[in-house]
């Protein structure tokens, strides 16, 4: 029987977190095909969340961690993953609503696609003005199908499944990304270490964007944080030559579509507003760059741009993934 650890970071969302566990408990195959350890990492100022979820101790192997201060999702996930006892990790945001088949399909996809180290599915908005529309993947999320495996360049939260050993070997989520950008950074480090990412759009979950509170919603200047994350990935991964980063250039189109002719102004102001931040965090930035995996020299947003390097990565993935795969699927 496959064993997986579910990590759910949460902040002031007792009912939504309880709903997450309710959806999990209704998973087809739970108790027969797979067992679940559930780790809640709660940085709320109170323990109302535990009051809502404690009844699930009779259903899951439930662990509840209450952190003393508000902790952003990346670092909350790092904390939960480090104490997880299983090699297979499934991460859920607290505003994600899974279907009864979601968990089983994720496990089966990894079992049937042994070159894949990290997986996600399609996410659909369940509330708000975009209700019923696709949240992820967007048209900017490039995908490539090889031998019935649908590889994707980046995974950005919501929900995903991956192996613990590769995650820890590349250092987990980088704390230098204090507000946004950690998904892009983690994705490129997976690829550079030879651990491919994939998506199966037959796997579906729903994103409740009207859930109360958020670990990011109170950020005052999201524009500056977004651009700063781009500056950091460009620095970490040596983005210098236009020829080696054609899709990094195209990623600008997504921001341009959202902000129009003001986009260059925003980028300049964001750089100016980040000067003190870079001064304060310079030593951590240098350490972060030194820790970057170097097996495959992929650039951010451009894993598929160097087709020869991409093919080499996929050809080696079965061997690189073998230890984690056997630990999960060979009893």
């Amino acid at each position: 029987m496959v064993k997986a650890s579910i990590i759910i970071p949460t902040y002031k969302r007792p009912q939504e977190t309880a709903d997450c566990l309710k959806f999990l408990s209704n998973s087809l195959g739970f108790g027969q095909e797979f067992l679940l350890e559930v780790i809640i990492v709660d940085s709320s100022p109170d323990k109302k969340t535990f009051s809502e979820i404690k009844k699930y101790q009779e259903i899951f192997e439930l662990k509840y961690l209450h952190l003393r201060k508000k902790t952003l999702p990346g670092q909350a996930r790092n904390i939960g993953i480090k104490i997880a006892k299983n090699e297979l990790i499934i991460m859920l945001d607290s505003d994600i609503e899974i279907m009864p088949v979601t968990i089983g399909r994720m496990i089966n996809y990894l079992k049937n696609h042994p070159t894949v180290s990290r997986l996600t599915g399609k996410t659909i908005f369940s509330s708000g003005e975009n209700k019923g529309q696709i949240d992820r993947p967007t048209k900017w999320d490039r995908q490539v199908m090889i031998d019935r495996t649908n590889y994707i360049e980046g995974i950005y939260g919501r929900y995903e499944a991956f192996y613990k050993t590769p995650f820890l070997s590349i250092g987990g989520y980088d704390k230098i990304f204090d507000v946004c950008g950690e998904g892009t950074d983690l994705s490129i480090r997976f690829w550079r270490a030879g651990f491919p990412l994939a998506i199966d759009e037959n796997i579906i979950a729903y994103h409740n964007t009207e859930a109360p509170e958020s670990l990011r919603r109170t950020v005052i200047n999201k524009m500056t944080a977004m651009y700063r994350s781009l500056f950091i990935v460009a620095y970490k991964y040596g983005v210098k030559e236009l020829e080696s980063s054609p899709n990094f250039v195209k990623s600008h189109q997504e921001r341009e579509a959202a902000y129009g002719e003001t986009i260059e102004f925003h980028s300049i102001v964001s750089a100016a507003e980040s000067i003190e931040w870079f001064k304060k965090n310079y030593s951590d930035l240098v350490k972060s760059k030194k820790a970057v995996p170097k097996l495959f020299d992929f650039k951010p947003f451009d894993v598929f741009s160097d087709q020869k390097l991409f093919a080499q990565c996929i050809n080696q993935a079965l061997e690189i993934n073998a230890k984690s795969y056997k630990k999960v699927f060979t009893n």
Side-chain angles (χ1 to χ4, degrees):
M1 187 179 295
V2 174
K3 297 179 181 179
S5 295
I6 309 288
I7 313 296
I8 305 175
T10 188
Y11 174 74
K12 296 173 72 173
R13 286 179 176 171
Q15 187 56 56
E16 287 71 24
T17 306
D19 288 343
C20 266
L21 299 190
K22 179 181 179 180
F23 292 131
L24 277 172
S25 68
N26 291 330
S27 294
L28 296 177
F30 173 51
Q32 291 81 41
E33 299 172 11
F34 53 86
L35 295 175
L36 301 176
E37 171 193 43
V38 178
I39 301 173
I40 306 296
V41 185
D42 181 18
S43 60
S44 305
D46 53 48
K47 293 187 178 181
K48 292 180 181 179
T49 296
F50 182 70
S51 297
E52 292 293 330
I53 68 171
K54 61 183 179 181
K55 60 185 176 183
Y56 289 99
Q57 290 176 316
E58 301 175 0
I59 299 174
F60 301 109
E61 184 178 348
L62 183 64
K63 295 178 181 177
Y64 173 78
L65 299 180
H66 187 246
L67 307 181
R68 292 187 176 182
K69 63 178 181 179
K70 183 179 178 180
T71 304
L72 290 172
Q75 295 311 303
R77 293 167 191 151
N78 282 346
I79 292 168
I81 291 165
K82 285 180 181 178
I83 69 168
K85 70 177 187 179
N86 298 308
E87 176 68 13
L88 179 57
I89 304 293
I90 297 175
M91 189 278 296
L92 299 175
D93 286 350
S94 58
D95 56 3
I96 291 296
E97 303 164 352
I98 64 168
M99 299 178 66
V101 296
T102 302
I103 299 300
R105 286 184 176 178
M106 295 177 81
I107 292 172
N108 286 332
Y109 192 94
L110 288 174
K111 183 177 182 180
N112 295 328
H113 299 81
T115 61
V116 176
S117 301
R118 188 169 170 227
L119 168 73
T120 192
K122 180 188 294 184
T123 310
I124 299 172
F125 290 113
S126 66
S127 60
E129 61 181 14
N130 294 318
K131 182 177 180 179
Q133 298 182 30
I134 295 174
D135 175 21
R136 284 285 182 177
T138 71
K139 65 179 181 180
W140 311 102
D141 296 319
R142 296 201 299 177
Q143 304 174 38
V144 171
M145 180 74 75
I146 298 178
D147 295 331
R148 295 182 295 178
T149 301
N150 197 29
Y151 298 102
I152 191 167
E153 285 183 317
I155 295 175
Y156 309 100
R158 277 68 167 183
Y159 68 107
E160 57 188 86
F162 52 86
Y163 299 118
K164 180 177 180 177
T165 299
F167 178 89
L168 294 179
S169 73
I170 63 171
Y173 284 95
D174 188 346
K175 66 179 181 180
I176 204 69
F177 294 90
D178 52 359
V179 176
C180 61
E182 75 271 19
T184 297
D185 177 70
L186 185 70
S187 295
I188 194 65
R189 280 188 285 125
F190 259 85
W191 277 111
R192 287 178 67 102
F195 300 118
L197 279 56
I199 183 170
D200 180 3
E201 295 193 37
N202 292 312
I203 300 171
I204 296 174
Y206 292 87
H207 186 185
N208 178 15
T209 56
E210 293 186 339
E213 298 295 340
S214 171
L215 287 167
R216 305 184 199 277
R217 201 172 291 167
T218 56
V219 175
I220 297 174
N221 198 335
K222 294 181 180 179
M223 179 73 76
T224 294
M226 181 270 290
Y227 268 107
R228 188 163 62 229
S229 72
L230 290 171
F231 300 152
I232 294 171
V233 296
Y235 168 75
K236 283 186 66 172
Y237 302 106
V239 177
K240 298 177 181 178
E241 304 297 332
L242 183 63
E243 293 76 13
S244 62
S245 298
N247 200 57
F248 194 101
V249 176
K250 290 183 179 179
S251 71
H252 171 78
Q253 297 173 357
E254 181 178 9
R255 297 185 294 280
E256 190 175 42
Y259 301 105
E261 295 180 355
T262 65
I263 194 65
E264 184 174 2
F265 173 81
H266 287 303
S267 66
I268 293 171
V269 171
S270 295
E273 291 183 342
S274 295
I275 290 174
E276 293 297 327
W277 187 95
F278 282 118
K279 178 182 178 181
K280 179 181 178 181
N281 294 278
Y282 179 72
S283 61
D284 287 336
L285 279 168
V286 173
K287 291 177 184 177
S288 179
K289 184 172 184 176
K290 288 182 178 179
V292 167
K294 297 177 175 60
L295 184 59
F296 297 99
D297 188 22
F298 292 120
K299 302 300 182 185
F301 309 109
D302 277 287
V303 172
F304 302 152
S305 297
D306 188 332
Q307 295 184 12
K308 183 177 180 181
L309 189 65
F310 174 62
Q312 291 174 356
C313 177
I314 299 305
N315 289 338
Q316 296 182 40
L318 193 65
E319 180 181 354
I320 291 175
N321 239 10
K323 187 174 182 180
S324 291
Y325 181 89
K326 290 179 180 177
K327 191 172 182 179
V328 173
F329 296 111
T330 304
N331 296 323

